[in-house]
mmCIF file of all heavy atoms in Angstrom:
data_model
loop_
_atom_site.group_PDB
_atom_site.id
_atom_site.type_symbol
_atom_site.label_atom_id
_atom_site.label_comp_id
_atom_site.label_asym_id
_atom_site.label_seq_id
_atom_site.Cartn_x
_atom_site.Cartn_y
_atom_site.Cartn_z
ATOM 1 N N PHE G 9 -97.278 -5.334 43.102
ATOM 2 C CA PHE G 9 -98.143 -4.389 43.868
ATOM 3 C C PHE G 9 -97.369 -2.945 43.929
ATOM 4 O O PHE G 9 -96.168 -3.030 44.022
ATOM 5 C CB PHE G 9 -98.196 -4.787 45.385
ATOM 6 C CG PHE G 9 -98.960 -3.794 46.318
ATOM 7 C CD1 PHE G 9 -100.202 -3.388 46.111
ATOM 8 C CD2 PHE G 9 -98.069 -3.169 47.188
ATOM 9 C CE1 PHE G 9 -100.706 -2.488 46.982
ATOM 10 C CE2 PHE G 9 -98.765 -2.207 48.073
ATOM 11 C CZ PHE G 9 -99.949 -1.867 47.935
ATOM 12 N N HIS G 10 -98.090 -2.032 43.753
ATOM 13 C CA HIS G 10 -97.378 -0.632 43.734
ATOM 14 C C HIS G 10 -98.425 0.483 44.140
ATOM 15 O O HIS G 10 -99.595 0.383 43.853
ATOM 16 C CB HIS G 10 -96.730 -0.291 42.496
ATOM 17 C CG HIS G 10 -97.790 -0.213 41.375
ATOM 18 N ND1 HIS G 10 -98.082 0.976 40.854
ATOM 19 C CD2 HIS G 10 -98.342 -1.025 40.707
ATOM 20 C CE1 HIS G 10 -99.008 0.841 39.923
ATOM 21 N NE2 HIS G 10 -99.185 -0.417 39.831
ATOM 22 N N VAL G 11 -97.829 1.359 44.827
ATOM 23 C CA VAL G 11 -98.687 2.647 45.273
ATOM 24 C C VAL G 11 -97.864 3.793 44.579
ATOM 25 O O VAL G 11 -96.682 3.977 44.913
ATOM 26 C CB VAL G 11 -98.819 2.741 46.720
ATOM 27 C CG1 VAL G 11 -99.609 4.120 46.992
ATOM 28 C CG2 VAL G 11 -99.512 1.682 47.454
ATOM 29 N N SER G 12 -98.490 4.580 43.812
ATOM 30 C CA SER G 12 -97.905 5.660 43.157
ATOM 31 C C SER G 12 -98.780 6.917 43.536
ATOM 32 O O SER G 12 -99.425 6.897 44.527
ATOM 33 C CB SER G 12 -97.858 5.587 41.591
ATOM 34 O OG SER G 12 -99.154 5.438 41.103
ATOM 35 N N THR G 13 -98.478 8.028 42.713
ATOM 36 C CA THR G 13 -99.284 9.285 43.057
ATOM 37 C C THR G 13 -100.724 9.022 42.741
ATOM 38 O O THR G 13 -101.623 9.666 43.392
ATOM 39 C CB THR G 13 -98.763 10.335 42.151
ATOM 40 O OG1 THR G 13 -98.944 10.023 40.814
ATOM 41 C CG2 THR G 13 -97.341 10.716 42.458
ATOM 42 N N ARG G 14 -101.140 8.011 41.945
ATOM 43 C CA ARG G 14 -102.486 7.831 41.732
ATOM 44 C C ARG G 14 -103.214 7.431 43.061
ATOM 45 O O ARG G 14 -104.321 8.046 43.406
ATOM 46 C CB ARG G 14 -102.779 6.600 40.810
ATOM 47 C CG ARG G 14 -102.453 6.898 39.305
ATOM 48 C CD ARG G 14 -102.606 5.737 38.502
ATOM 49 N NE ARG G 14 -103.946 5.108 38.474
ATOM 50 C CZ ARG G 14 -104.777 5.662 37.483
ATOM 51 N NH1 ARG G 14 -104.502 6.542 36.750
ATOM 52 N NH2 ARG G 14 -106.059 5.063 37.581
ATOM 53 N N GLY G 15 -102.471 6.567 43.753
ATOM 54 C CA GLY G 15 -103.076 6.160 45.115
ATOM 55 C C GLY G 15 -103.009 7.406 46.117
ATOM 56 O O GLY G 15 -104.000 7.691 46.810
ATOM 57 N N GLU G 16 -101.943 8.075 46.034
ATOM 58 C CA GLU G 16 -101.773 9.255 46.970
ATOM 59 C C GLU G 16 -102.776 10.261 46.663
ATOM 60 O O GLU G 16 -103.594 10.742 47.576
ATOM 61 C CB GLU G 16 -100.415 9.883 46.918
ATOM 62 C CG GLU G 16 -100.131 10.973 47.906
ATOM 63 C CD GLU G 16 -98.897 11.782 47.529
ATOM 64 O OE1 GLU G 16 -98.110 11.387 46.687
ATOM 65 O OE2 GLU G 16 -98.783 12.752 48.211
ATOM 66 N N TYR G 17 -102.796 10.796 45.436
ATOM 67 C CA TYR G 17 -103.768 11.801 45.121
ATOM 68 C C TYR G 17 -105.123 11.364 45.328
ATOM 69 O O TYR G 17 -106.127 12.135 45.855
ATOM 70 C CB TYR G 17 -103.608 12.236 43.560
ATOM 71 C CG TYR G 17 -102.346 12.878 43.249
ATOM 72 C CD1 TYR G 17 -101.247 13.202 44.318
ATOM 73 C CD2 TYR G 17 -102.075 13.376 41.987
ATOM 74 C CE1 TYR G 17 -100.095 13.754 43.866
ATOM 75 C CE2 TYR G 17 -100.875 13.903 41.635
ATOM 76 C CZ TYR G 17 -99.910 14.185 42.628
ATOM 77 O OH TYR G 17 -98.766 14.676 42.248
ATOM 78 N N GLY G 18 -105.455 10.147 44.875
ATOM 79 C CA GLY G 18 -106.933 9.663 44.988
ATOM 80 C C GLY G 18 -107.252 9.638 46.475
ATOM 81 O O GLY G 18 -108.523 9.866 46.828
ATOM 82 N N MET G 19 -106.362 9.219 47.333
ATOM 83 C CA MET G 19 -106.737 9.216 48.685
ATOM 84 C C MET G 19 -107.038 10.648 49.292
ATOM 85 O O MET G 19 -107.995 10.752 49.986
ATOM 86 C CB MET G 19 -105.426 8.574 49.500
ATOM 87 C CG MET G 19 -105.882 8.163 50.930
ATOM 88 S SD MET G 19 -106.954 6.647 51.002
ATOM 89 C CE MET G 19 -105.857 5.413 50.375
ATOM 90 N N ARG G 20 -106.149 11.498 48.872
ATOM 91 C CA ARG G 20 -106.351 12.885 49.335
ATOM 92 C C ARG G 20 -107.847 13.365 48.924
ATOM 93 O O ARG G 20 -108.577 13.932 49.660
ATOM 94 C CB ARG G 20 -105.356 13.862 48.747
ATOM 95 C CG ARG G 20 -103.967 13.506 49.057
ATOM 96 C CD ARG G 20 -103.251 14.589 49.871
ATOM 97 N NE ARG G 20 -103.005 15.781 49.177
ATOM 98 C CZ ARG G 20 -101.798 15.941 48.551
ATOM 99 N NH1 ARG G 20 -100.889 15.057 48.436
ATOM 100 N NH2 ARG G 20 -101.564 17.195 47.994
ATOM 101 N N LEU G 21 -108.076 13.030 47.675
ATOM 102 C CA LEU G 21 -109.388 13.417 47.113
ATOM 103 C C LEU G 21 -110.574 12.845 47.928
ATOM 104 O O LEU G 21 -111.549 13.451 48.316
ATOM 105 C CB LEU G 21 -109.524 12.870 45.724
ATOM 106 C CG LEU G 21 -110.481 13.432 44.670
ATOM 107 C CD1 LEU G 21 -110.164 12.981 43.284
ATOM 108 C CD2 LEU G 21 -111.968 13.099 45.084
ATOM 109 N N MET G 22 -110.497 11.543 48.150
ATOM 110 C CA MET G 22 -111.541 10.749 48.878
ATOM 111 C C MET G 22 -111.637 11.310 50.306
ATOM 112 O O MET G 22 -112.786 11.415 50.874
ATOM 113 C CB MET G 22 -111.263 9.293 48.840
ATOM 114 C CG MET G 22 -111.464 8.695 47.441
ATOM 115 S SD MET G 22 -113.029 8.785 46.767
ATOM 116 C CE MET G 22 -113.790 7.380 47.500
ATOM 117 N N VAL G 23 -110.582 11.527 50.957
ATOM 118 C CA VAL G 23 -110.567 12.044 52.264
ATOM 119 C C VAL G 23 -111.261 13.422 52.284
ATOM 120 O O VAL G 23 -112.097 13.823 53.169
ATOM 121 C CB VAL G 23 -109.192 12.109 52.948
ATOM 122 C CG1 VAL G 23 -109.148 12.971 54.235
ATOM 123 C CG2 VAL G 23 -108.659 10.757 53.271
#
Side-chain angles (χ1 to χ4, degrees):
Chain G
F9 173 69
H10 63 103
V11 178
S12 60
T13 58
R14 286 178 66 86
E16 186 195 350
Y17 293 1
M19 194 69 69
R20 301 245 291 270
L21 199 169
M22 291 297 274
V23 170

